[in-house]
Amino acid sequence: MHQEKIDDDLRSIAKGNVLSDEWSRKIYSVDASEFTILPSTIIQVKDKEDISNICEYAYSKNLTLTGRGAGTGLLGQSLTTGIALQPGIVKAVLDKELKKKNKFLPPDPASSNFCTIGGMIANNSSGIHSLGYGNTIDFLDGVEIIYSNGITESLIQNSHEMYNSANCEIQFNMTSKITQLLKLLSPDILNYISLKFPKVTKNSCGYRIDALIDTNKRFLPHKIFASSEGTLGITTLAKFRILDIPLYRYVMVVGFENILKAVKSVPRILSFFPSSLELLDSSVLYFNNRIGNKSNFKLNNNNGGTILIIEFAGDSLVKLEIQVQLCREKLSAYGEILEVTSDNISTERIWSARKSALNNVMKLTVGSRKPISLIEDTIVDPRYLYEYTQFLLKTYQKYKLDYIFYGHAGNGNLHTRPVIDTASNVYLDLISSLAVEVFSKVYKLSGSITAEHGDGISRTKYISNMYGKTIFEIFKKIKFIFDPTNIMNPGKKIIQ
């Protein structure tokens, strides 16, 4: 079937703009990753009816579909050679509306000003406050999904109860897809999942089957779509649990001589229950201070090494002041207390500087030398963070690589990137060898190779190694249940 005919058909079906000119295709051929893939068509959908009709048409013609938010994905999640659908509300817009009612949705990725809610669900996004509050999947109470064939399913109502495992009878009414999903979760499989899944606070690798049954034995099918990267369906509506904005918060900035001394202090800091604990090392700090930032605020560290940014938040001022003082006294022997503030303007400036870290890292490219993202989202239990950081430094030294470090130290989630000459003849072999070594260490520490940024094009091929054959076979069955013809964002999560 000729592309011109397809585009004409789509224009007759969709109410939104259908873009297929060369310029539009080039614009949508990139995201925040290093990949470039030209889509066949881009549709700026108007509403749910648009999505449903487009899916139904694509299903009948075996055309691939990929949902795209703001294109802030770091691993090529929303890049496709097929049809790209662009719906969604931007997180910052939702934040603004919630703030009017003194409420907030805690997941706050660095791209909050641009990223969409649908993209956050697809990635299971986290951000700088996931330590104290959790991740997108933890706040997702329901979704409405349009499947590849155009059929809509609502999973907004109260969570289901788990079926009776003794006779495997379903005690409630469910669609065929959800019933098939539930039948995959036998007691033996649930036990196996609890043993094999990462022992960490953040995980976006593969499908989150570990979150489908909660501690009260309730079946939560909507959570399968968190971290699914649009491979199972398109989210058109989401129900979230939201929180009251805390009355008070303190932010403390502590400087350390080097990154090892900083991460060694992380378990000490966690004993005081901060809501956030973030790390910026010397390479990121230098670039941040050299170019400045919109608030003209510079994170100065007299030690020239690494800083930790610690936040305490809550509704009891007395309790917070005690936490801050105790933490401050504990850390004074290990690092330099650079700043302690509860002033809103000051705290916003500090967090603005932290959130700009990723943008600054992306600007570190010089010619063909650039920070490569394959291993940039690993996570281990914070108890192992010192050992893991030592391993990373020795590995970089072995390969004679420059590198950067920043990230969510309190979760054990380091965003580290080697700086590599991509024009080199050994580039692909080098990054592959590095990934195998780093990921193998992560497996041994019961961590995850993907904490919050998604698997996308880069890490999908490593998912089976992380979970093993049994769980990966379940992932493949899930993909087939929800997308039997493999037209929903193919090549992500499952390679067929």
Side-chain angles (χ1 to χ4, degrees), residues 325-340:
Q325 185 59 32
L326 290 175
C327 184
R328 184 173 186 167
E329 292 173 358
K330 186 74 171 180
L331 291 180
S332 61
Y334 304 98
E336 179 185 359
I337 309 299
L338 302 175
E339 184 172 0
V340 179

Side-chain angles (χ1 to χ4, degrees), residues 203-243:
N203 181 27
S204 294
C205 185
Y207 294 123
R208 288 296 306 272
I209 54 177
D210 62 313
L212 296 179
I213 307 293
D214 71 6
T215 54
N216 295 318
K217 301 298 183 184
R218 294 180 305 166
F219 179 41
L220 311 174
H222 60 277
K223 291 188 183 283
I224 196 62
F225 299 101
S227 181
S228 68
E229 296 182 17
T231 60
L232 307 179
I234 302 291
T235 304
T236 55
L237 189 150
K239 178 183 178 182
F240 287 100
R241 176 171 58 91
I242 56 175
L243 303 179

Side-chain angles (χ1 to χ4, degrees), residues 72-91:
T72 58
L74 297 171
L75 286 304
Q77 295 97 309
S78 64
L79 300 184
T80 177
T81 58
I83 301 169
L85 303 180
Q86 191 178 37
I89 179 175
V90 173
K91 174 63 160 55

Side-chain angles (χ1 to χ4, degrees), residues 143-195:
V143 294
E144 182 180 80
I145 292 289
I146 296 180
Y147 296 125
S148 60
N149 58 5
I151 293 176
T152 302
E153 175 156 33
S154 176
L155 299 169
I156 298 292
Q157 301 304 315
N158 291 335
S159 301
H160 300 294
E161 293 181 2
M162 189 176 177
Y163 69 97
N164 185 337
S165 60
N167 56 27
C168 295
E169 290 182 358
I170 307 301
Q171 302 297 323
F172 41 81
N173 183 36
M174 296 188 297
T175 64
S176 173
K177 292 184 186 298
I178 301 303
T179 300
Q180 291 177 70
L181 175 64
L182 180 57
K183 286 182 177 179
L184 292 177
L185 305 176
S186 68
D188 286 345
I189 288 297
L190 290 174
N191 288 334
Y192 189 73
I193 289 169
S194 67
L195 292 173

Side-chain angles (χ1 to χ4, degrees), residues 53-341:
N53 291 338
I54 293 164
C55 287
E56 185 178 0
Y57 174 80
Y59 185 81
S60 69
K61 305 297 183 183
N62 199 35
L63 304 174
T64 60
L65 288 164
T66 295
R68 178 185 173 106
T72 58
L74 297 171
L75 286 304
Q77 295 97 309
S78 64
L79 300 184
T80 177
T81 58
I83 301 169
L85 303 180
Q86 191 178 37
I89 179 175
V90 173
K91 174 63 160 55
V93 174
L94 177 63
D95 289 339
K96 185 177 180 180
E97 292 303 311
L98 289 175
K99 191 174 182 179
K100 294 176 182 177
K101 300 181 182 297
N102 202 40
K103 303 283 186 179
F104 78 125
L105 178 64
D108 55 347
S111 58
S112 289
N113 286 338
F114 315 102
C115 70
T116 63
I117 295 298
M120 288 178 62
I121 295 171
N123 266 359
N124 185 28
S125 298
S126 302
I128 61 177
H129 288 95
S130 62
L131 175 64
Y133 298 102
N135 316 304
T136 299
I137 195 170
D138 301 312
F139 292 89
L140 188 63
D141 279 352
V143 294
E144 182 180 80
I145 292 289
I146 296 180
Y147 296 125
S148 60
N149 58 5
I151 293 176
T152 302
E153 175 156 33
S154 176
L155 299 169
I156 298 292
Q157 301 304 315
N158 291 335
S159 301
H160 300 294
E161 293 181 2
M162 189 176 177
Y163 69 97
N164 185 337
S165 60
N167 56 27
C168 295
E169 290 182 358
I170 307 301
Q171 302 297 323
F172 41 81
N173 183 36
M174 296 188 297
T175 64
S176 173
K177 292 184 186 298
I178 301 303
T179 300
Q180 291 177 70
L181 175 64
L182 180 57
K183 286 182 177 179
L184 292 177
L185 305 176
S186 68
D188 286 345
I189 288 297
L190 290 174
N191 288 334
Y192 189 73
I193 289 169
S194 67
L195 292 173
K196 294 294 289 184
F197 259 67
K199 306 301 185 289
V200 288
T201 56
K202 301 162 69 172
N203 181 27
S204 294
C205 185
Y207 294 123
R208 288 296 306 272
I209 54 177
D210 62 313
L212 296 179
I213 307 293
D214 71 6
T215 54
N216 295 318
K217 301 298 183 184
R218 294 180 305 166
F219 179 41
L220 311 174
H222 60 277
K223 291 188 183 283
I224 196 62
F225 299 101
S227 181
S228 68
E229 296 182 17
T231 60
L232 307 179
I234 302 291
T235 304
T236 55
L237 189 150
K239 178 183 178 182
F240 287 100
R241 176 171 58 91
I242 56 175
L243 303 179
D244 293 328
I245 296 175
L247 295 177
Y248 309 101
R249 62 174 174 166
Y250 273 86
V251 173
M252 183 187 306
V253 182
V254 187
F256 296 85
E257 185 178 346
N258 55 54
I259 190 171
L260 287 176
K261 290 189 176 182
V263 297
K264 197 169 188 177
S265 293
V266 166
R268 298 186 186 104
I269 299 169
L270 291 178
S271 68
F272 298 102
F273 305 104
S275 57
S276 183
L277 173 50
E278 298 291 296
L279 177 147
L280 292 173
D281 99 309
S282 55
S283 60
V284 180
L285 282 172
Y286 169 75
F287 196 74
N288 185 80
N289 290 342
R290 184 158 63 88
I291 67 170
N293 54 65
K294 291 180 180 179
S295 64
N296 295 316
F297 178 75
K298 295 185 178 182
L299 292 171
N300 295 309
N301 181 9
N302 295 333
N303 288 320
T306 303
I307 66 166
L308 294 179
I309 305 172
I310 311 161
E311 180 180 282
F312 296 93
D315 294 336
S316 171
L317 182 59
V318 173
K319 182 179 178 180
L320 284 185
E321 288 178 339
I322 293 173
Q323 281 179 290
V324 171
Q325 185 59 32
L326 290 175
C327 184
R328 184 173 186 167
E329 292 173 358
K330 186 74 171 180
L331 291 180
S332 61
Y334 304 98
E336 179 185 359
I337 309 299
L338 302 175
E339 184 172 0
V340 179
T341 181

Side-chain angles (χ1 to χ4, degrees), residues 23-54:
W23 177 244
S24 295
R25 292 173 65 222
K26 284 184 178 179
I27 291 174
Y28 286 89
S29 69
V30 296
D31 56 6
S33 72
E34 59 259 35
F35 301 104
T36 300
I37 300 175
L38 282 170
S40 62
T41 316
I42 305 96
I43 308 178
Q44 298 168 329
V45 295
K46 275 287 189 191
D47 51 29
K48 293 186 290 186
E49 185 181 23
D50 249 8
I51 297 174
S52 179
N53 291 338
I54 293 164

